Amino acid sequence: MAARVVGPLRAALLGVEAQWTWYRRNWRATAITNFLQPVLFLLAMGLGFGSQVRPGEATGGAPYAVFLAPALLVLTAVQNAMFESTYAVFSAFKWQKTYLGVVATPITPAQILYGRLLWIALRLLSGAVVFLGVATALGAVTSAGAVWGVPAAVLAGMAFSAPVVAFTATREKPEAFNGLYRFVLVPMMLFAGAFFPLDQLPAWLHPLAWLTPVWHGVELARGAAFGTLGPAAALGHVAYLAALVAVGVLLGRKYFQRRLAV
C-alpha cells in the first residue's frame, strides 16, 4: 500500500498541534521570559528611567514610555524568537530527536520546518498581544495605530527566526548559540534605534542597523503608533523583512532535508 501523502498545510498544523500539546502543560516554564520580563522592562525603563527623560524631539514629543513601548513590542518578539529558533529546534534534532521520529512518517523535512515556523509565529503573536494589552493598561499606548505594531513585531521576529532556524539545523553542538546571542542579538537590540533614535549614533553605524530586522520592525511599529509612517516606507520595511523570511525558509528547507532525509 502506498504511503499516505500529507499536504503542507495539514502537516504544518499537525506540527503546531504537537507543540501546543506540550506547551499547554508546560507554559509556566516560559511565562517569565515571554510575558513577565518585557512588562518588567517597560516598568523599569519606560516608567522608571523614562520619568527622568523629558519629552522632546528625540521622543517625538511623547513621554519616554510611549516612545519605548512600540520598540519593546518588537524587541520582545525577536528575543522570544531567539530561544524558539535555537535550543528548541536543536533539542528536536539532537537531544529528544523528535524530528527523526516525525520524518519516519509521511511528513517531509520541509513540512517539519513549516510546522516549526508556524508555531513560532503563533508564539510571537500571543506574546505581542499580551504585551500590547499590558502596555495599554499601564498608559504606555496612547493611539489606536499601535495595534499595527503586533503584525510588525511578528514579522520582525520571523525575519530573525527563519534564518536562525536554518542555522540551527546545521549545528551539532549548542555552543554557537552563545555567540549568536552575544554578538548578534544583543547588539541588534541595543543599537537599532529601539531605546534612542538612530541618528544619535555615528553615521558609520547606520548601515549596520539598517540590515537588522529589529530596526525595520521598530520603524514599522513606532511609525504606526505615532502616525508618521508613509505607505512607501512601510512597503519597503515589509518587503525587506519578508525577504529575510523567504531566505530563511529556502535555507531551512535545504538544511532540514540534508539532515533528516533518509
Side-chain angles (χ1 to χ4, degrees):
M1 182 181 295
R4 180 183 177 185
V5 177
V6 181
L9 179 59
R10 174 60 176 164
L13 292 177
L14 287 172
V16 169
E17 181 182 11
Q19 293 295 325
W20 170 246
T21 301
W22 179 91
Y23 183 75
R24 68 184 181 183
R25 300 173 182 172
N26 300 277
W27 63 270
R28 297 173 185 82
T30 60
I32 292 179
T33 301
N34 293 338
F35 302 111
L36 184 57
Q37 180 174 304
V39 172
L40 293 176
F41 207 87
L42 176 63
L43 289 171
M45 293 296 294
L47 301 179
F49 170 77
S51 65
Q52 307 302 311
V53 179
R54 294 182 179 180
E57 183 179 354
T59 63
Y64 187 69
V66 177
F67 172 79
L68 183 61
L72 277 183
L73 188 64
V74 174
L75 292 182
T76 298
V78 173
Q79 186 173 13
N80 289 342
M82 175 69 182
F83 174 80
E84 294 291 339
S85 306
T86 52
Y87 290 101
V89 176
F90 184 83
S91 177
F93 274 121
K94 194 74 174 180
W95 295 328
Q96 296 179 322
K97 301 185 185 300
T98 308
Y99 290 161
L100 293 180
V102 175
V103 82
T105 72
I107 295 177
T108 67
Q111 291 170 342
I112 293 175
L113 170 69
Y114 302 151
R116 169 59 66 174
L117 293 177
L118 179 58
W119 170 251
I120 293 173
L122 292 173
R123 294 278 283 111
L124 301 187
L125 176 62
S126 64
V129 169
V130 170
F131 177 80
L132 182 65
V134 174
T136 301
L138 293 174
V141 174
T142 59
S143 72
V147 72
W148 290 104
V150 171
V154 174
L155 183 56
M158 293 308 298
F160 179 71
S161 173
V164 173
V165 168
F167 171 75
T168 300
T170 68
R171 300 296 93 190
E172 292 295 335
K173 296 181 180 180
E175 285 77 7
F177 303 145
N178 295 329
L180 185 65
Y181 180 83
R182 294 172 183 170
F183 302 116
V184 178
L185 181 64
V186 172
M188 183 170 62
M189 295 176 70
L190 292 178
F191 303 112
F195 297 101
F196 49 85
L198 189 62
D199 58 16
Q200 296 187 12
L201 289 174
W204 63 270
L205 279 175
H206 294 184
L208 296 178
W210 297 336
L211 292 174
T212 68
V214 168
W215 182 77
H216 292 275
V218 169
E219 288 294 300
L220 282 171
R222 189 171 281 153
F226 289 177
T228 58
L229 185 66
L235 182 61
H237 293 307
V238 170
Y240 181 79
L241 293 173
L244 289 180
V245 175
V247 169
V249 170
L250 291 175
L251 292 175
R253 289 182 56 176
K254 174 182 178 180
Y255 296 135
F256 269 60
Q257 179 70 24
R258 178 184 298 176
R259 187 152 187 173
L260 295 174
V262 293

